[in-house]
């Protein structure tokens, strides 16, 4: 009976394992290159239109949705929230909705869109946070809530909530076109959501943007 060559078996098994390992790595790298990556970018000095135009030269760019951050104070009853209002194109910006009105009417009353987690930032005059049960009630009955919004110039407007955002949960948003019509001026872009096809393209774009002074956050 011929003696089995165990060393040969070990070598064959090792080659097989190595091949499978590299095959898995190849598939993973391929999958990373066959998807889009999203992140937000912002800058203190604002983004000029010519810079936005330059974004079109970024390799793999699939979309850029600009926004403007506006410091505001929002009041619901005795509770107050100081936050940055994200002003953007509500229809185009990548928002996942928990609940939203079927037909959004953008008139003279500011229509706000609250992230489900943003309500936790409200506090009363003593600094006490709003309770979880009240937050749940607010979210359920958001259409009937009465609130005011005050800008940096101390201008107070009565506002309404037209939708609850599931993700990103911390945002408070408003449609750009509506606010520009109310303010009678064009708003300067301060940031945006960028989406790029391919992992390598994304990493290269991030390096370029960071060198340009942009602050990047998150990835989807």
């Amino acid at each position: 009976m011929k003696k089995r060559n165990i060393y040969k078996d070990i070598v064959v098994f090792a080659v097989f394992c190595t091949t499978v390992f590299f095959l898995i790595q190849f598939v993973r790298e391929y999958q990373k290159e066959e998807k889009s990556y999203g992140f937000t970018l912002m800058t203190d000095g604002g983004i000029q239109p010519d810079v936005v135009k330059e974004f079109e030269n970024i390799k793999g760019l699939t979309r850029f949705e600009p926004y403007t951050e506006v410091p505001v104070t929002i009041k619901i009853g005795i509770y107050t929230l100081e936050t940055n209002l994200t002003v953007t194109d509500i229809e185009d910006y990548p928002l996942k909705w928990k609940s939203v009105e079927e037909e959004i009417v953008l008139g003279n009353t500011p229509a706000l869109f609250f992230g489900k987690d943003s309500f936790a930032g409200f506090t009363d005059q003593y600094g006490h946070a709003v309770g979880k049960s009240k937050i749940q009630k607010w979210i359920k009955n958001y259409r009937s809530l009465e609130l005011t919004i005050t800008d940096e110039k101390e201008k107070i407007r009565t506002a309404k909530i037209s939708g609850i955002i599931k993700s990103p949960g911390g945002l408070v948003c408003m449609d750009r076109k509506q606010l520009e019509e109310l303010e009678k001026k064009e708003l300067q872009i301060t940031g945006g959501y960028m989406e790029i096809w391919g992992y390598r393209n994304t990493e290269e774009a991030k390096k370029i943007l960071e060198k340009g002074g942009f602050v990047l956050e998150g990835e989807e």
Side-chain angles (χ1 to χ4, degrees):
M1 182 176 178
K2 188 176 179 180
K3 188 175 181 181
R4 186 178 181 86
N5 190 338
I6 189 171
Y7 297 106
K8 181 180 179 181
D9 291 343
I10 292 173
V11 170
V12 171
F13 180 71
V15 171
F16 172 77
C17 289
T18 302
T19 303
V20 170
F21 172 78
F22 282 108
L23 181 61
I24 292 174
Q25 290 296 105
F26 173 80
V27 171
R28 286 178 177 174
E29 289 299 317
Y30 176 79
Q31 291 175 336
K32 285 169 64 176
E33 295 301 327
E34 292 298 308
K35 60 183 290 190
S36 293
Y37 297 85
F39 55 90
T40 60
L41 57 90
M42 63 198 74
T43 179
D44 292 334
I47 306 176
Q48 300 300 321
D50 58 332
V51 175
V52 175
K53 186 69 177 177
E54 284 295 317
F55 288 162
E56 297 177 3
N57 297 323
I58 294 177
K59 187 177 180 181
L61 180 73
T62 57
R63 66 190 295 194
F64 176 70
E65 305 296 343
Y67 66 69
T68 301
E69 285 195 338
V70 180
V72 295
T73 300
I74 301 172
K75 294 199 71 172
I76 301 178
I78 64 171
Y79 294 94
T80 302
L81 172 68
E82 293 186 0
T83 187
N84 284 325
L85 184 67
T86 300
V87 185
T88 187
D89 188 325
I90 293 298
E91 292 186 356
D92 292 337
Y93 200 79
L95 301 171
K96 295 180 181 178
W97 297 99
K98 179 178 176 65
S99 179
V100 65
E101 293 181 354
E102 292 184 6
E103 185 177 353
I104 300 173
V105 180
L106 301 177
N108 294 325
T109 300
L112 306 183
F113 304 87
F114 273 73
K116 63 181 180 61
D117 301 323
S118 61
F119 292 99
F122 280 90
T123 57
D124 63 17
Q125 62 268 40
Y126 304 107
H128 300 147
V130 59
K132 291 184 179 179
S133 60
K134 183 174 285 293
I135 290 176
Q136 292 174 354
K137 186 177 180 181
W138 281 356
I139 292 176
K140 182 179 180 181
N141 304 299
Y142 72 89
R143 292 179 180 87
S144 61
L145 290 178
E146 296 182 359
L147 60 154
T148 61
I149 179 171
T150 306
D151 61 21
E152 288 183 295
K153 297 179 180 179
E154 300 299 322
K155 185 172 184 177
I156 303 175
R157 289 189 174 100
T158 300
K160 64 179 180 178
I161 300 178
S162 294
I164 303 297
I165 303 167
K166 182 178 180 180
S167 176
L171 290 184
V172 180
C173 298
M174 184 174 175
D175 188 74
R176 173 181 295 276
K177 185 178 294 185
Q178 184 188 31
L179 186 55
E180 287 184 339
E181 288 179 355
L182 291 174
E183 296 289 342
K184 309 298 182 186
K185 67 177 183 179
E186 187 174 346
L187 300 175
Q188 184 181 31
I189 297 171
T190 61
Y193 171 83
M194 183 173 286
E195 199 168 84
I196 296 176
W197 182 263
Y199 182 78
R200 294 179 183 175
N201 289 339
T202 303
E203 292 302 299
E204 183 63 28
K206 286 182 175 180
K207 291 178 182 178
I208 294 172
L209 292 167
E210 286 175 342
K211 286 182 180 179
F214 291 99
V215 177
L216 312 182
E217 289 187 0
E219 182 172 308
E220 300 180 1

